Amino acid sequence: MGSIRRDKNAKPDMRTTMQLGAVLSKTAEVRNGHLYVGGVNMAELAREQGTALYVMDVAQIKQQLRAYKEALGEDNIVAFAGKSFLNKAMVRLLAAEGCYLDVSGGGELAIALAAGFDPKHVIVHGNNKTETELTEAIEAGAGLIVADCFEELERISRIASARGITQSILLRIKPGVVADTHTFMTTGSEDSKFGFGITDGWAERAAAQALQLPGIALKGIHVHIGSQIFAISSYADTIEVLANLTENLSKNCGFTPEIIDLGGGLGIAYQAADEPTAIQELGQLITKQLPKAWEQRGLPLPTIIVEPGRSIVGTAGLTLYTVGAIKDLKDIRCFVAIDGGMTDNIRTALYDARYESVIANKADRPRDAIVTLAGKHCESGDMVAIDASLQTPEVGDIVAMLATGAYNATMSSNYNAQVRPAVVFVEDGTATLVQRRETYTDLMARDI
């Protein structure tokens, strides 16, 4: 791997923790120089539980879920995207808040069922669900399966019919809308592995096939245009495309969707300068433009589903690390080595993601240094923040990397046989361990 990029012009931003704006969780505060989240001292928590450590602000998660429900209205559905962050504690929180759950594959479904989640409130995704996964979903009584290809329609029909079940489904559609986001996060263009295209006629053909197959009840259509989206005009464009498709399906197939699932994708602030769209603004666009587009075409209004993930848990989460070593290479770079890295946060290497970090035990001080937070793994590219502002670090300091609640824990790995971090929920001054740290025994549990 080549050398890490270097920004010779990077200068410390001199911000203190509470000047980082939307990157912070809503309950973040500084007391006596220490960062608190959910009323819990992050430096003390790190030393009690060990690091690396994922911390989730429960009040923030609840607030975001409720904001979506209010923005969409009581007749529509909020389904949390489990791929962003999932364990049994999160599932139980979703159930308590009256939300649905979007799962991608058998493992996420198994977690939901183990936590006692109502399977009728589960939406099952995946572009190549296996025979086993489809069987598990159908036998569990999953509320909706999102069919992604013609082969899958046949499989769902065969499995459901053999069991005397009629399975409700949605069709995954490619709307041809290119969202303003990273290339790897774009999922709604024609050149996508997901779903049925419109311009090639596959969407209408899939609807016609689904309506004829036994064991299937076609309920509606689903789209997802991408992730980490700031420009919500992409959603407006998608609604117009779906309105035209719905009109054509009604005329040509005799089918009018009862459900329109717009997926998720709303972006969050990862850096202090980011200005993401508010949930309320997206909700207003959807609840005004979709009914207008349907009424213009004389179509009955559908139930709307949205599937947010990142915008629910992203800024609710942070990751705590302990500084183990510092290498200040004069006129080159200051490496600050932490006890985590690409196994607990692959997004920097994968997407060139940028984060804000603070020293939890120096949270009231200005970020007066430029550092590169280097992971502990055997890869030159194992960096979680490059040329970033941070308070002047010392060995033993606790670094808090902010806005890591989405796609960090769920994309974690055991590279270098590293154990994955524990997860702690914090709320009202109480820290609750909801997922223990892996052990070396866990690493070898599958070995024969």
Side-chain angles (χ1 to χ4, degrees), residues 24 47 148 153 165 168 184 194 217 253 265 283 319 326 355 371 428:
L24 294 164
R47 288 171 180 136
D148 194 89
L153 287 172
I165 294 170
S168 295
F184 290 176
F194 297 102
C253 301
T319 309
I326 299 171
Y355 291 93
V371 306
D428 296 331

Side-chain angles (χ1 to χ4, degrees), residues 54-89:
Y54 295 124
V55 182
M56 302 297 290
D57 180 355
V58 175
Q60 169 91 350
I61 294 172
K62 291 177 179 178
Q63 180 177 335
Q64 297 299 91
L65 289 170
R66 292 169 187 176
Y68 266 106
K69 291 183 72 175
E70 182 179 351
L72 267 291
E74 61 182 13
D75 294 330
N76 298 312
I77 295 170
V78 177
F80 175 71
K83 60 183 178 288
S84 62
F85 175 78
L86 197 67
N87 54 36
K88 289 193 281 188

Side-chain angles (χ1 to χ4, degrees), residues 130-359:
T130 66
E131 185 97 1
T132 298
E133 288 173 323
L134 287 172
T135 300
E136 289 168 349
I138 291 167
E139 290 185 344
L144 290 166
I145 295 178
V146 181
D148 194 89
C149 58
F150 292 109
E151 292 86 351
E152 201 163 85
L153 287 172
E154 296 286 350
R155 289 180 195 134
I156 295 170
S157 173
R158 173 170 45 77
I159 295 167
S161 296
R163 289 157 177 77
I165 294 170
T166 299
Q167 177 63 53
S168 295
I169 71 164
L170 305 178
L171 296 178
R172 175 74 178 260
I173 303 299
K174 293 187 284 189
V177 174
V178 180
D180 180 21
T181 186
H182 191 288
T183 303
F184 290 176
M185 300 185 199
T186 299
T187 58
S189 67
E190 293 287 354
D191 184 13
S192 171
K193 71 174 185 176
F194 297 102
F196 301 97
I198 295 176
T199 57
D200 57 12
W202 282 28
E204 286 194 31
R205 180 181 151 202
Q209 180 175 333
L211 291 168
Q212 296 299 316
L213 286 170
I216 285 179
L218 179 58
K219 296 294 184 180
I221 53 182
H222 173 282
V223 295
H224 182 68
I225 58 175
S227 298
Q228 188 54 8
I229 298 168
F230 277 21
I232 62 171
S233 58
S234 302
Y235 293 98
D237 295 340
T238 300
I239 287 170
E240 287 302 310
V241 170
L242 294 183
N244 289 332
L245 174 61
T246 297
E247 185 175 33
N248 290 335
L249 290 175
S250 181
K251 290 178 181 177
N252 301 332
C253 301
F255 167 68
T256 303
E258 301 172 28
I259 296 170
I260 297 293
D261 189 330
L262 293 169
L266 190 64
I268 66 166
Y270 280 110
Q271 295 192 286
D274 289 343
E275 297 181 355
T277 299
I279 291 169
Q280 292 78 5
E281 188 177 344
L282 176 62
Q284 187 175 48
L285 182 151
I286 291 172
T287 56
K288 287 190 175 181
Q289 183 156 338
L290 192 146
K292 179 180 177 182
W294 259 245
E295 288 167 2
Q296 286 174 342
R297 293 163 176 82
L299 298 167
L301 291 181
T303 296
I304 301 168
I305 299 178
V306 295
E307 296 172 347
R310 188 191 316 268
S311 55
I312 300 295
V313 294
T315 54
L318 64 155
T319 309
L320 301 177
Y321 304 103
T322 302
V323 175
I326 299 171
K327 295 181 181 179
D328 192 355
L329 311 180
K330 299 300 183 184
D331 299 321
I332 299 176
R333 189 187 305 277
C334 180
F335 286 106
V336 177
I338 56 174
D339 55 352
M342 64 193 302
T343 57
D344 58 76
N345 184 352
I346 191 62
R347 294 187 68 258
T348 302
L350 189 61
Y351 299 132
D352 193 27
R354 308 295 181 92
Y355 291 93
E356 302 283 8
S357 299
V358 299
I359 294 180

Side-chain angles (χ1 to χ4, degrees), residues 436-448:
R436 65 168 173 81
R437 189 177 308 279
E438 282 185 322
T439 66
Y440 293 151
T441 300
D442 292 329
L443 292 177
M444 297 175 278
R446 296 181 296 123
D447 289 358
I448 298 172

